[in-house]
Amino acid sequence: TPASMRLLQELVTEPVKPWDAVVCSSNAGKAVVEKVMQDREEQLFNRLHIDDCKVVDRPYLPVIPLPIATKQIRNELPEKQSARKELGLDLNSHVVLWLGRLSMLTKSDPWPTYVALQKAALALNKTLILIECGPDDSAPQANHFHELRSLCPDVQFVRFGGVEPVSDETKFQCLAAADIAISLVDNTQETFGLSVAEAMASGLPVVASNWNGYRDLVRDGIDGFLIPTKWSLLAQDCSIRLGWGGSLGVINYPMAAGCLAQLLQIDLSAAVAAIVALLTDPIMMRAMGDAARIRAESEFSYEVVMNNYLDLFELLQERRKAASKISFQPEKTSITINPVN
């Protein structure tokens, strides 16, 4: 959002110390923070006509993933066939899961996913079901998505959520009932992907867009498949207009994010191939699902993430102890803090 970008820019001029840290949930997020600060530094150098200036202090930027309840998922996940019975699904069908919000502007345009599944359904010898589990952004948008689904006659759509929130019980049933998870997210604000991590913890291989934080979650060819994703040729031409519109408030953040997402291209042929390959090869599907579960438990569990924070606290304490005396000298209070001056 514009507000968060301003906060990152202010880190350049605020009294940041070597023992300060900005925790990033993925390498994609870290790269953005670094680029925003570097860009602001260059602006200041140019403004002050400084040719060569060494940046003294930047905050430390550790990458620590968001935590998920891997133990709860493992303990409460029902058996696949019983979950399908509870949800009223065909026991012998192929089941694909979308987990998360359905939002055109701040999550994903569903049409590429629908098209890929429609094409995959024509290549499969069983019924293909897409479970969509999560809340809707708005009623008009939900109606639009319903119209899009009607254009994919060979895919059976099952919806859980919508206006009402999804219970943990229903979510776990959806996770257990699925063969694979899909998340072809096209949004610039997706710096991690909790729903993808939860699907991995449930033992599901994931077909995901090769985009932003997803690259830190899914290992292509190991935990599932990352689908090639790139900016379109028009993206650069539209970028500055959208940036100014968002920064000035001419368009709100969801609209700006949604417009940027429409400039992204996802390789649908690769997505179809990945879906069909997983659903027609049970051995590969099981192996990738097991790899995804092990990765989630070893990287994203509460215990692992908390230990990462404890290690960070210890490291920052050592940085503080090792800092030079000049780092502890009081700085002049800003007039915005001391207006009487």
Side-chain angles (χ1 to χ4, degrees):
T1 64
S4 61
M5 295 293 269
R6 284 193 293 271
L7 286 172
L8 294 178
Q9 288 180 324
E10 289 172 1
L11 292 174
V12 174
T13 52
E14 290 298 300
V16 175
K17 300 299 182 182
W19 55 85
D20 291 323
V22 175
V23 179
C24 307
S25 61
S26 66
N27 286 302
K30 178 179 179 179
V32 171
V33 174
E34 289 179 322
K35 188 171 288 188
V36 169
M37 289 194 295
Q38 180 181 356
D39 180 68
R40 183 58 174 162
E41 289 162 0
E42 291 175 355
Q43 290 176 356
L44 292 173
F45 296 165
N46 290 335
R47 178 68 173 169
L48 299 173
H49 304 290
I50 299 174
D51 295 327
D52 184 24
C53 183
K54 181 181 178 182
V55 179
V56 178
D57 290 321
R58 272 189 181 182
Y60 180 55
L61 302 178
V63 176
I64 300 178
L66 300 179
I68 57 172
T70 55
K71 284 186 177 179
Q72 182 188 15
I73 292 173
R74 183 171 63 249
N75 293 334
E76 299 188 24
L77 207 65
E79 191 268 337
K80 176 177 286 191
Q81 295 302 316
S82 64
R84 290 190 176 189
K85 286 181 181 179
E86 288 293 325
L87 298 176
L89 304 179
D90 180 0
L91 300 183
N92 296 315
S93 60
H94 295 302
V95 180
V96 180
L97 173 66
W98 162 274
L99 181 64
R101 287 182 299 111
L102 287 177
S103 170
M104 176 77 81
L105 298 181
T106 60
K107 182 59 70 171
S108 175
D109 182 346
W111 182 238
T113 297
Y114 294 172
V115 171
L117 290 172
Q118 169 64 22
K119 291 183 177 181
L122 297 175
L124 298 168
N125 58 1
K126 294 182 183 179
T127 301
L128 179 61
I129 299 173
L130 173 64
I131 298 176
E132 293 179 298
C133 180
D136 285 320
D137 263 9
S138 65
Q141 185 172 259
N143 293 334
H144 172 62
F145 289 177
H146 179 71
E147 293 174 356
L148 292 180
R149 296 182 192 113
S150 69
L151 302 177
C152 303
D154 296 290
V155 179
Q156 186 179 127
F157 293 89
V158 178
R159 185 80 179 90
F160 294 100
V163 177
E164 299 296 327
V166 178
S167 67
D168 279 349
E169 180 183 6
T170 299
K171 182 174 75 170
F172 290 143
Q173 287 175 335
C174 291
L175 285 164
D179 295 309
I180 66 174
I182 190 167
S183 191
L184 301 181
V185 159
D186 54 18
N187 215 272
T188 55
Q189 57 83 46
E190 191 62 78
T191 54
F192 185 72
L194 276 173
S195 61
V196 169
E198 287 183 333
M200 293 172 68
S202 303
L204 296 180
V206 181
V207 176
S209 46
N210 188 6
W211 187 244
N212 283 0
Y214 282 11
R215 297 167 180 160
D216 275 14
L217 301 180
V218 180
R219 297 169 296 179
D220 186 41
I222 300 175
D223 311 307
F225 294 104
L226 290 174
I227 306 305
T229 307
K230 65 179 182 179
W231 290 111
S232 71
L233 296 177
L234 295 174
Q236 193 61 245
D237 295 334
C238 301
S239 180
I240 294 179
R241 290 186 182 185
L242 289 173
W244 272 117
S247 295
L248 297 175
V250 176
I251 54 178
N252 61 29
Y253 173 71
M255 185 62 69
C259 288
L260 282 171
Q262 289 299 307
L263 298 172
L264 213 64
Q265 294 177 334
I266 298 173
D267 189 336
L268 293 186
S269 296
V272 173
I275 294 166
V276 172
L278 283 167
L279 294 179
T280 57
D281 190 337
I283 295 176
M284 179 173 68
M285 184 169 64
R286 190 179 307 112
M288 287 189 169
D290 288 343
R293 176 183 52 77
I294 293 170
R295 175 165 173 77
E297 291 177 349
S298 63
E299 298 287 338
F300 314 132
S301 70
Y302 285 153
E303 294 81 6
V304 170
V305 173
M306 179 52 70
N307 285 332
N308 287 340
Y309 272 98
L310 293 175
D311 291 342
L312 172 63
F313 299 155
E314 185 174 338
L315 173 63
L316 296 181
Q317 185 179 30
E318 292 301 318
R319 282 186 162 219
R320 186 183 182 106
K321 290 179 180 178
S324 62
K325 291 183 179 180
I326 194 173
S327 297
F328 297 94
Q329 291 181 355
E331 299 188 20
K332 181 181 178 181
T333 305
S334 168
I335 194 172
T336 59
I337 303 299
N338 186 6
V340 173
N341 280 348

